[in-house]
Amino acid sequence: MADQVLFELKSVSKHFQVKNAGVLKAVNGVSLTIYKGETLGLVGESGCGKTTLGHTMVKLYKNDGGMITYKGRDIWDFNRRQNMNYHKNVQIIYQDPYASLNPLHVVRQSIAEGLEIHKLYKGKKRTERVMELLRMVGLNQEHANRFPHEFSGGQRQRIGIARALAVEPEIIICDEPVSALDVSIQAQIVNLIMRLQREIGLSYLFITHDLSLVKQISDRIAVMYLGAIVELAPAQSLYEHHYHPYTSALLSAIPIPDPEVEKKRKRIMLSGDVPNPINLGGGCSFRSRCPKAAKRCELECPQLKEITPGHFAACHFAE
Amino acid sequence: MERTKAWKTFPFAKLERSGMEAEEMVRPHTSYLKDVWRAFKRRKTALVSAVILLILVVLVLFGPMMNPYNYYSNDYTAINSPPTAQHWFGTDTLGRDLWTRVWVGGRVSLLIAILATLFPFLIGMVMGGISGYFGGKVDMIMMRCIDILMGIPAMIYNILLIVVLGSGNISTLIIAFTLTGWMGSARAARGMVLQIKAREFVMASKTLGASPARIIFRHLLPNTLGIMVVGVTLTIPMIIFAEAFLSFIGLGVAPPNPSWGQLISIAAEVFKSYPYQFIIPCAFVSLTMLCFNLLGDGLRDALDPKLRA
Amino acid sequence: MQTLLKVENLTVSFFTQAGEVQAVRGVDFDIRQKETIAIVGESGCGKTVTVQTVMGLLSNPGRVKDGRILFRGEDLAKASRERLHALQGNEMSMIFQDPLTYLNPTMRVGRQIAEAYLQHNKATRDEAAARVLEIMRLVSFPSPERNMRAYPFQLSGGMRQRIMVAMALVCNPVVLFADEPTTALDVTIQAQIIELMNSLKSKIDTAIVLITHDMGVVANMAQRVYVMYAGRIVEHGAAQDVFENPRHPYTWGLLYSIPRLDAPGKGAMEFIPGTPPDLLCPPEGCAFAPRCKHAMNICAVRQPPKYTFGRAEHCAACWLYSEEAKKTYADVIEKRGNANG
C-alpha cells in the first residue's frame, strides 16, 4: 500500500440544532486518515453518525468543527476550479438503489451526468464511454435506454456505481451500498467494488453497519458509536483482539449461519438501546450500556489511545 | 428450436450459456409516459372528459366557420330568434348569431384560461424551485412575501389591477391573473422540491459537482411536473369561472368581442324572456369546468405511483 | 407431534396491469406443535405472500389459484371472511418488520395490547389490564406498569418490537408468524429480540413460523428450514441437515455468499450471478437455472422433481440428484458446488 494520504480528518464535528430539543452531535470530534489505495471500513449502528460523516466529506454538509483536508488542502478552501476537481475525484455511492436514480432519466442519461458536468468525452466518444462503464459493472448496451424502475435493486446499485466511476474518481465513499440488497446480490456488488479497486486502483471509505461484511473488504476498520470513533485498527487485528467493550458486543451479536457454531458461542448481551443522542452529557457515551462502566466513565470522556501499533481504542480500561 | 433438440438428446449435459441470461429483461420496455397513459386509459370518466374537451376545442376553432355569420354583424331580420335552421343557437337582442358568438367567446375564454394558468404555473415553479432548493434565508424571505401576497383576497387584487391596467382586453386579464395566481403554485412546487431534494439522486448530482441551475431544471422541476400538470388542469376551471365573473360585472373583455362570461352577462338581462340565450353559454361553461375537473382527478390517479403499482 | 398447520400446493397470483405475476407457485409446508420453522428466501421470492395468504391477509389484486391451507383440519382457503377474522390475532397472529407502521401513534401501548386482547376475549377492564401487565412481563419489558402508559414514539426500536411481540401473543396464539422480525433493528438489538423469542419457547406453547432472509437468524432460532426461491420451496429439512449438508445449488449460494465473522480475512466472496427471475413470466424449467453454475440442458426446460435424502425428510428439488446426473456430477455434489464449505 502506497502511503500517500488522501484524506485527513482532524477532530471533525457536525452538530444539528433540533427544534425545541437541543443539539444533536451527529459527528463529534472524529479524526481519521485515509491512505491511497486502501479500504477503510467505518462501522456503526443506525444513528451513530457514520452517514453524516460521509456526507460531510462529499460536501453535502459543512463541518462545524475540525478540519477535513484532501491531499493536504482544506476542502472548504478551494476555488471554483479546484472544487469541481474535488467533486470529480471524490465520489459517493448511496444506500437506497430505489432513490438514487432520477426516475425520469434513462440509464444512459444517469451515467453520463458526470461526463456532462465535467465536460469529459464529447459526442460519440461519450456514448462509447457509457457503454464501457455499463460493461464494467456487468450490464450491457440493451440496458442503456431503459428506465430505473425496470431494474432490480442490485442492477440499480450497479448503475449507481457506474455513475460514480464515470468521472474517474480517486476515492469512492460507499454509504451502506449493499444493506438494501439481498444477500446473494450483496456479494455480487461487494465483489464488483473490490474488483474495481484492483483494476483501477480506487480507494474506499466503506460505511456499513455489518461487521462481518466489512471484514471481507477492509484493510482497516473504524468502529463508531454516537458520533465518535471508539476503536480503529487493521481489520485482522480488530477481529483477533478488540479492546473496546462496544466492539466486543457488536462482534458477538452477529449471528453466524451455522447452528453448531452458534450453540457454542457465548454472547455478550448489551442491555437497553442506544441512548438518545440529543444533549448527551460529558463522559463516555457508551457507559449506559457498558458492562465495565465505572465512576470514571461518567466524569471523563476517554480518548483514542494506541494499544498496540496501529490499533487504537477509546476506553479507560483498554490496555 | 436448437435448444429443444439438444435437451432431448443430452438432457444431462452442461447447459451452454452466454453468461448474461440472468440479466435479461423479460418485461417489455415501458417508459414513464406509456405507463401513465395505460393507467389513465382505465379511468373512463377522465377519458370521456378528455374527449369532450377535445371536441370543444375543435368546435371553438372551427365552429364559427360552419355557418355564414360572424360574431359582430347584426341580422335585423332575426332579433332574439330562438334556435332555428339558420341560427343554430338562435340570436341575441342585437340579432347576432349565437352559435358563432359562443365559439368565438369560447376562444377568448379558453385562451385566457389556459394562458392565465400556464404563466403563473411556470413562474410559480421556478420561484418554488429556487426557494425550495436554496432553503434558509432565501426560502424564508420568499415564503414570507408569498404569505403577504396571498393575504390579499385575489379578486380584490384582480379588480384593482384591471382598473389600473385598463379593462377591456385579453392581455390585461392574463397579466392580472398571472400576478395573482403564481403564489399558490410556488408554494406547491416548493413543497415538492423540498421532498425531492432529500432523494439520493439529487445528492448524487450535487456530489458530481452539478450547478444549482442544473439540479433545479434537470432533476427537481421535471419530477414535480406530473403533479403540476394536475394542478394546471384543476386551475383552468377556476380561471374560466373568474373570467366569466369579471366579464359579468363588466371588467372582462370589451364588447363586441364576446367571451362566455360576457354572453352570460348580456343574456342575464333578458333571461326571463329568452332563457336559451343564457342557458346555452352557461351550459358550455359548466361542461368545460366539469370536464377539466374530472380530467384533473383522473390524471392525479394515473400519475400517483402508489395507485398504479 | 401433532401437525397444526399444513399447506399444500398453495398457488397465489397477482393480476396486475402488466399481467399475471405468479408470486407463489405451489408451496407445501407444515408446522407442528411447539416447533419453530423458518422460511428463508430473498425479497420477492413469495415468502411474505405465502404467510399473508395463510393468515387471510391477501389483498387485491392477489388471488389464491390453487391449494389447501389446513389449520387443524379446517381448510382456510375456503373459509369465510368472518371465520378468518375470528382466527386472526387470536389463534394465528403475526409480527411485522416495522413496528412503527403497525402501531397506532396516538394510542398508549398498553391500551393497544388490551384492544388486541379484548377483540377476541370477553373481559373487564381490570382483567384486560392484568393480562397486559402479564404479557409485558413475559416479553421482559422493563417497568411495565409505567411503560404501558407510553406512546409508541417514546419507545426505542427494540422496545416497540417487544410491544409487537406482546400484542401478537396476548391471545395465546397457536401459531405465530414472524415476518422479518429483526431486519429493521440494529445487531445488538436483534440479538436481544432473538434471545427473547428463544426464551419464550420454553414458557409458551406457540409454534413460530419465522420468515427471514438472514441465515444467521435462522441458525439461531429454527428447528426446520424451508428455502424458497421464485415462488417455490427448493429445499427443506431439519436445520442441522440444511446447514451441514445443503443440497440445492441455491442453498449453497445463499450460505456461501454470506460474509462470515469466522471466515479468514479479506478476499472475494462467493456469489450468485444475476437477478432472480421476473415472476410475470417465470422460466419454464427450474427457476434457478439461469443463475446456476451447474445447470444442465434439462434444467432450462423441465421442472425438477423433489428428491429425498437420508433421514428425516430432507428434500431438494434439483436435477443434479436424478439417477442419470448423480454419477456424472458426483464431485459437484460432493464439494457442494466447489464452494469453500
Side-chain angles (χ1 to χ4, degrees), chain C residues 158-266:
Chain C
M159 288 301 132
R160 285 197 284 257
Q161 196 57 285
R162 277 175 205 267
I163 294 292
M164 284 287 292
V165 177
M167 273 173 81
L169 292 179
V170 74
C171 293
N172 271 325
V174 180
V175 185
L176 171 69
F177 295 94
D179 188 358
E180 305 265 11
T182 62
T183 306
L185 305 172
D186 281 318
V187 269
T188 55
I189 312 298
Q190 167 173 299
Q192 291 172 7
I193 298 290
I194 291 176
E195 202 201 45
L196 166 71
M197 295 193 59
N198 282 336
S199 73
L200 284 174
K201 293 295 293 181
S202 59
K203 297 177 195 157
I204 53 172
D205 284 343
T206 306
I208 300 177
V209 180
L210 174 71
I211 301 142
T212 181
H213 68 278
D214 190 334
M215 280 295 203
V217 176
V218 176
N220 265 291
M221 292 179 64
Q223 278 107 53
R224 285 192 302 127
V225 181
Y226 289 85
V227 181
M228 199 164 172
Y229 186 76
R232 282 208 169 90
I233 303 284
V234 293
E235 177 164 1
H236 67 91
Q240 210 183 349
D241 291 334
V242 174
F243 280 100
E244 259 174 37
N245 230 335
R247 296 290 182 167
H248 197 281
Y250 177 63
T251 320
W252 296 339
L254 210 53
L255 278 171
Y256 303 134
S257 61
I258 308 169
R260 282 177 63 146
L261 265 187
D262 53 351
K266 186 176 169 173

Side-chain angles (χ1 to χ4, degrees), chain B residues 71-94:
Chain B
Y71 70 90
Y72 48 82
S73 41
N74 318 45
D75 179 355
Y76 293 112
T77 58
I79 287 172
N80 287 333
S81 137
T84 59
Q86 278 84 43
H87 298 284
W88 296 331
F89 284 170
T91 59
D92 65 4
T93 34
L94 297 174

Side-chain angles (χ1 to χ4, degrees), chain C residues 37-339:
Chain C
I37 65 163
I39 302 179
V40 196
E42 296 174 282
S43 49
C45 75
K47 55 189 194 300
T48 298
V49 176
T50 304
V51 291
Q52 279 179 348
T53 311
V54 174
M55 281 283 291
L57 297 173
L58 188 67
S59 56
N60 254 335
R63 271 217 303 275
V64 179
K65 281 179 73 187
D66 197 10
R68 300 203 296 168
I69 304 163
L70 297 169
F71 181 65
R72 295 164 156 182
E74 176 189 0
D75 189 357
L76 298 187
K78 294 197 184 73
S80 68
R81 192 168 286 211
E82 289 73 30
R83 178 70 188 128
L84 288 171
H85 271 304
L87 287 172
Q88 285 161 3
N90 190 14
E91 279 164 85
M92 293 196 293
S93 60
M94 194 154 177
I95 309 174
F96 300 92
Q97 177 172 344
D98 182 7
L100 205 50
T101 48
Y102 285 92
L103 291 174
N104 182 343
T106 61
M107 209 196 262
R108 295 179 198 278
V109 291
R111 208 165 135 228
Q112 295 193 49
I113 302 175
E115 294 243 313
Y117 183 62
L118 290 170
Q119 200 128 54
H120 298 286
N121 295 280
K122 282 210 178 76
T124 64
R125 260 165 174 264
D126 289 344
E127 283 165 354
R131 175 70 186 147
V132 169
L133 277 178
E134 185 189 355
I135 201 81
M136 282 176 86
R137 286 202 190 94
L138 182 74
V139 299
S140 327
F141 208 91
S143 43
E145 287 86 356
R146 189 163 54 86
N147 277 327
M148 66 190 285
R149 301 193 52 77
Y151 288 98
F153 73 89
Q154 294 169 317
L155 301 172
S156 64
M159 288 301 132
R160 285 197 284 257
Q161 196 57 285
R162 277 175 205 267
I163 294 292
M164 284 287 292
V165 177
M167 273 173 81
L169 292 179
V170 74
C171 293
N172 271 325
V174 180
V175 185
L176 171 69
F177 295 94
D179 188 358
E180 305 265 11
T182 62
T183 306
L185 305 172
D186 281 318
V187 269
T188 55
I189 312 298
Q190 167 173 299
Q192 291 172 7
I193 298 290
I194 291 176
E195 202 201 45
L196 166 71
M197 295 193 59
N198 282 336
S199 73
L200 284 174
K201 293 295 293 181
S202 59
K203 297 177 195 157
I204 53 172
D205 284 343
T206 306
I208 300 177
V209 180
L210 174 71
I211 301 142
T212 181
H213 68 278
D214 190 334
M215 280 295 203
V217 176
V218 176
N220 265 291
M221 292 179 64
Q223 278 107 53
R224 285 192 302 127
V225 181
Y226 289 85
V227 181
M228 199 164 172
Y229 186 76
R232 282 208 169 90
I233 303 284
V234 293
E235 177 164 1
H236 67 91
Q240 210 183 349
D241 291 334
V242 174
F243 280 100
E244 259 174 37
N245 230 335
R247 296 290 182 167
H248 197 281
Y250 177 63
T251 320
W252 296 339
L254 210 53
L255 278 171
Y256 303 134
S257 61
I258 308 169
R260 282 177 63 146
L261 265 187
D262 53 351
K266 186 176 169 173
M269 290 157 72
E270 284 289 323
F271 72 104
I272 310 175
T275 313
D278 190 339
L279 292 177
L280 188 67
C281 12
E284 56 177 322
C286 171
F288 188 59
R291 304 174 74 190
C292 183
K293 270 194 252 177
H294 317 290
M296 300 170 285
N297 282 330
I298 192 168
C299 300
V301 275
R302 284 283 183 276
Q303 274 304 325
K306 255 200 218 171
Y307 297 96
T308 311
F309 308 94
R311 61 187 181 97
E313 42 184 51
H314 182 189
C315 299
C318 177
W319 283 114
L320 278 179
Y321 302 100
S322 65
E323 282 308 319
E324 297 91 327
K326 230 178 184 162
K327 282 177 220 107
T328 331
Y329 297 99
D331 59 321
V332 171
I333 296 168
E334 183 62 33
K335 285 192 210 144
R336 284 175 216 143
N338 257 336

Side-chain angles (χ1 to χ4, degrees), chain B residues 128-129 131-136 139 143 187-199 220 224:
Chain B
S131 182
Y133 175 76
F134 288 102
D139 185 38
M143 282 302 120
R187 253 192 196 164
R190 171 184 171 269
M192 257 178 307
V193 163
L194 283 179
Q195 254 177 40
I196 300 165
K197 193 171 85 161
R199 304 258 300 271
L220 296 177
T224 66

